[in-house]
Amino acid sequence: MRKTTKTLIALSIGLSFATQAADQRYIIQVDEGHKGLVKALAKKVGGELNVDGSGFIAATFSGKDLSTVKGLLNNPHVKLVEEDQRRVPLSLYSDDIGDPSVTQLTPYAVYQSQADQLTLNPSAGTKVCVIDSGLDQSNPDFVWSSITGDSDSGTGNWYEHGGPHGTHVAGTIGAADNDFGVIGMAPGVDMHIIKVFNASGWGYSSDLAHAASLCSAAGANIISMSLGGGSPNTTEENAFKSFTSDGGLVIAAAGNSGNNVRTYPAGYTSVMMVGANDADNNIAVFSQFPACSTFSTGKGKKSKTEIIDGSCVEITAGGVSTLSTYPQGMAVNSNLEADGQSIASSAMENAGIVTAESYFMGTAEAIDASANGKVCLIDRGVISFHDKVKNCEASGGLGAVIVNNVDGMLYGTLGDANITEIPAVGAALADRGALHAATQMTVKIAASDYGFMSGTSMATPAVSGLAALLWSNHSGCTGTDIREALKASAFDAGESGRDDYFGYGIAKVADASAYLDNMGCNTTEPLEDIELSATTSFSKGKDRVSLTWSGASSSRVDVYRNGLIQTTTSNDGSHEDTLRNAYGIYTYSVCNAGTNHCSSNVSVNF
């Protein structure tokens, strides 16, 4: 499935560039000394001059293909005629551009993960439990009638923020589909909010274990946790294992240290670990990439190493510069318009709004009286951002737009010693032409209810919202079915197959829905009458796991370790599994032989 998806995307890119090459715009290389003659010839045969370059011109010949233009420009002073190929910014996905206070914007990850291609089924009753810092009631971009929560005497009311993190996370999951703000992955989905930390920014594993029980009591199908720590905890692990065994899905962040350390709760096998990618399908530099735990099967030449799927990154989603909801007024946003066209920008300093004629100040190294009463358009370079804006203001400029001199958006500040007062924003090099062509600009910097954050904390609610969206369209599935479908249909963005950075790839929810349409749900319900327990010991240089069970009805049973069958043995109520150099978490179940009538999972930790 992943190979098919990747091939289709490659084809769509190829078709796009094939179409763009047919713009009837051509580059004509000329003898510089005879350029005027060639320009006159081009105009005579219907060409519209676009660029007058050194040793070449570019012109559009409407309705004429390359061979025709070559024939029309058959002149000894013409060296070469070739198609003028389009070049586009190499961001595969981007946010909508505009002011979220007056229009709804779609974050890039919605497009990237295909959430815009599937519709939430509200009657399915899918509910996401968000364990974080609360969801602030001041932001209006939610269907508040569909949101509940649990307050805590230690952290406060769930509907009052303990920092903006939880509100940002909740918006990525379920911000409403309306005419302002942003849209979530599963817009308007039912949510239950558990506030486990506040502005100090931390809680305990026991808080999470308790929160899991509250999520269950609230009827949640999915738990979303954009949090983590360095060590496992049995109580915490059992809480999430129980939620998963009851048919739920638990999703948590891999971590933001950019190393191969495993964090928890994401590192438990009952929890789906999520990494982050950017808008160009690249892994985020901060996204942690722990190697999967492994175990050996067989002996001698038949021995082979298997990974413990679920102990490492399983999937990724957009988590770099993610636009989402904030508590009221806690974010700062910029808006830039050039002749009424919205242009992407970044806020630098100084709140305010101004609309005026634009004036190009070059690199703004000196005061220029011609900028008086205008918005200064400034190139990056030579002097500091602060000094550029100071010179603009000293010239009588009302606002400043500083354009990057390398690819990408210009992000920056005016420094701690800022003495300027006019609003100043950064802009991308790709938009320089549009800005220079404009006669009037509007620059706005203001407090906002919407802002950007980066982290696996942002990718995790994206996957949680996608899971809710998918589950609402396939309500007969279990959480494990949803988890497996997301992995099976992910876009293979890293090394071929599963890798430590992307896991199985970037989440694609429409493809996951098609996968379930074709494959169905492989639901396996544990039978309550098979009860399993496990204890560990160490003897003769080996770790041992003693399994005991009761309630199996067949003469023989299948013993599973980490989802793989290890042996089929007599139903005598006990089995010892011997491990060499055991490390990590091992999960066992016992089933009537050849059936899916199984015990609940039981885990041990070495």
Side-chain angles (χ1 to χ4, degrees):
M1 187 69 181
R2 292 192 296 277
K3 291 182 178 178
T4 302
T5 304
K6 194 169 186 178
T7 301
L8 287 172
I9 289 176
L11 283 173
S12 68
I13 292 172
L15 288 170
S16 175
F17 281 111
T19 302
Q20 292 169 4
D23 286 342
Q24 292 90 48
R25 178 165 157 156
Y26 304 92
I27 297 174
I28 302 104
Q29 293 185 14
V30 301
D31 292 327
E32 185 67 26
H34 297 89
K35 186 192 291 182
L37 186 151
V38 176
K39 287 166 61 176
L41 174 61
K43 291 179 181 178
K44 182 177 180 180
V45 296
E48 179 183 352
L49 187 66
N50 304 115
V51 178
D52 188 348
S54 177
F56 74 91
I57 62 172
T60 299
F61 293 81
S62 298
K64 297 178 176 64
D65 60 18
L66 179 61
S67 61
T68 300
V69 174
K70 285 182 176 180
L72 293 171
L73 298 179
N74 185 13
N75 184 284
H77 302 300
V78 174
K79 296 179 178 180
L80 176 71
V81 181
E82 60 184 345
E83 291 175 336
D84 195 358
Q85 304 284 352
R86 282 192 189 181
R87 296 291 181 256
V88 298
L90 296 179
S91 178
L92 298 180
Y93 305 93
S94 59
D95 298 331
D96 290 350
I97 299 171
D99 183 351
S101 66
V102 296
T103 187
Q104 181 171 268
L105 306 181
T106 301
Y108 76 85
V110 171
Y111 298 121
Q112 185 179 52
S113 60
Q114 303 175 335
D116 58 323
Q117 300 178 33
L118 209 60
T119 301
L120 181 77
N121 176 13
S123 64
T126 307
K127 182 181 287 188
V128 182
C129 191
V130 184
I131 303 176
D132 210 282
S133 65
L135 169 55
D136 200 83
Q137 63 184 343
S138 64
N139 193 297
D141 205 3
F142 293 93
V143 181
W144 283 99
S145 60
S146 299
I147 302 174
T148 56
D150 284 297
S151 298
D152 182 90
S153 59
T155 57
N157 294 324
W158 66 266
Y159 48 84
E160 296 174 343
H161 74 83
H165 192 270
T167 302
H168 195 277
V169 162
T172 296
I173 293 171
D177 185 3
N178 47 34
D179 57 0
F180 65 91
V182 296
I183 187 170
M185 293 293 183
V189 68
D190 290 354
M191 288 189 283
H192 190 76
I193 309 300
I194 310 290
K195 186 177 179 182
V196 295
F197 51 79
N198 51 31
S200 62
W202 51 274
Y204 294 93
S205 56
S206 58
D207 296 328
L208 301 190
H210 178 58
S213 298
L214 295 176
C215 292
S216 294
N221 311 84
I222 298 165
I223 292 177
S224 183
M225 295 179 291
S226 295
L227 45 80
S231 300
N233 177 279
T234 302
T235 301
E236 180 184 61
E237 180 192 6
N238 287 341
F240 297 126
K241 182 173 65 178
S242 176
F243 189 89
T244 300
S245 295
D246 289 340
L249 175 60
V250 185
I251 301 170
N256 299 326
S257 297
N259 58 30
N260 63 356
V261 174
R262 181 178 295 109
T263 61
Y264 296 91
Y268 302 130
T269 55
S270 60
V271 178
M272 188 177 199
M273 184 187 294
V274 175
N277 57 260
D278 67 14
D280 293 322
N281 291 348
N282 300 312
I283 199 69
V285 294
F286 52 75
S287 190
Q288 285 176 226
F289 49 94
C292 297
S293 298
T294 61
F295 63 94
S296 298
T297 59
K299 296 181 180 180
K301 294 182 179 180
K302 295 184 178 180
S303 176
K304 64 178 181 177
T305 300
E306 303 282 353
I307 68 166
I308 301 176
D309 196 11
S311 62
C312 42
V313 173
E314 296 181 50
I315 204 163
T316 69
V320 178
S321 296
T322 298
L323 177 64
S324 189
T325 47
Y326 264 67
Q328 189 175 53
M330 284 192 70
V332 175
N333 269 354
S334 66
N335 291 282
L336 173 62
E337 292 186 2
D339 285 346
Q341 176 188 357
S342 292
I343 303 290
S345 63
S346 68
M348 299 185 80
E349 299 282 356
N350 305 330
I353 180 170
V354 59
T355 299
E357 183 182 343
S358 60
Y359 175 73
F360 179 52
M361 273 191 79
T363 52
E365 297 170 57
I367 293 174
D368 185 344
S370 297
N372 184 45
K374 299 175 183 178
V375 173
C376 305
L377 180 61
I378 303 170
D379 282 337
R380 180 181 184 177
V382 186
I383 63 175
S384 70
F385 298 149
H386 175 268
D387 289 347
K388 292 175 185 290
V389 177
K390 184 176 71 171
N391 288 339
C392 171
E393 187 172 28
S395 303
L398 305 178
V401 179
I402 304 178
V403 182
N404 211 347
N405 56 5
V406 295
D407 288 340
M409 176 60 64
L410 175 63
Y411 295 101
T413 70
L414 302 187
D416 295 336
N418 175 36
I419 62 171
T420 67
E421 296 181 359
I422 61 174
V425 302
L429 178 61
D431 291 320
R432 188 176 186 274
L435 291 168
H436 274 267
T439 58
Q440 187 178 73
M441 290 188 194
T442 297
V443 177
K444 176 184 176 182
I445 296 180
S448 176
D449 303 346
Y450 303 90
F452 296 89
M453 289 189 186
S454 293
T456 55
S457 283
M458 284 61 253
T460 296
V463 173
S464 300
L466 294 171
L469 181 61
L470 179 62
W471 210 339
S472 78
N473 285 271
H474 300 273
S475 57
C477 293
T478 66
T480 299
D481 295 329
I482 299 300
R483 181 177 180 176
E484 294 304 315
L486 287 169
K487 293 191 294 186
S489 58
F491 172 64
D492 192 358
E495 295 179 5
S496 181
R498 198 212 67 82
D499 66 79
D500 289 342
Y501 293 88
F502 287 94
Y504 290 90
I506 299 173
K508 300 286 184 180
V509 72
D511 291 341
S513 184
Y515 173 87
L516 288 174
D517 285 339
N518 292 329
M519 304 299 293
C521 300
N522 298 312
T523 304
T524 58
E525 295 288 343
L527 292 186
E528 297 299 328
D529 55 352
I530 302 181
E531 296 184 358
L532 175 66
S533 62
T535 59
T536 62
S537 60
F538 181 82
S539 64
K540 298 181 180 180
K542 296 180 180 179
D543 292 293
R544 302 174 188 274
V545 180
S546 297
L547 304 173
T548 57
W549 66 87
S550 62
S553 58
S554 59
S555 60
R556 296 177 69 79
V557 295
D558 296 327
V559 177
Y560 286 83
R561 184 210 298 147
N562 296 324
L564 299 175
I565 190 168
Q566 297 303 302
T567 186
T568 300
T569 186
S570 298
N571 183 14
D572 56 10
S574 65
H575 174 74
E576 185 175 83
D577 192 24
T578 303
L579 305 170
R580 186 182 298 275
N581 299 321
Y583 178 79
I585 300 169
Y586 295 78
T587 301
Y588 293 88
S589 63
V590 171
C591 307
N592 288 330
T595 75
N596 61 0
H597 296 169
C598 305
S599 68
S600 296
N601 290 332
V602 173
S603 296
V604 296
N605 190 14
F606 290 97

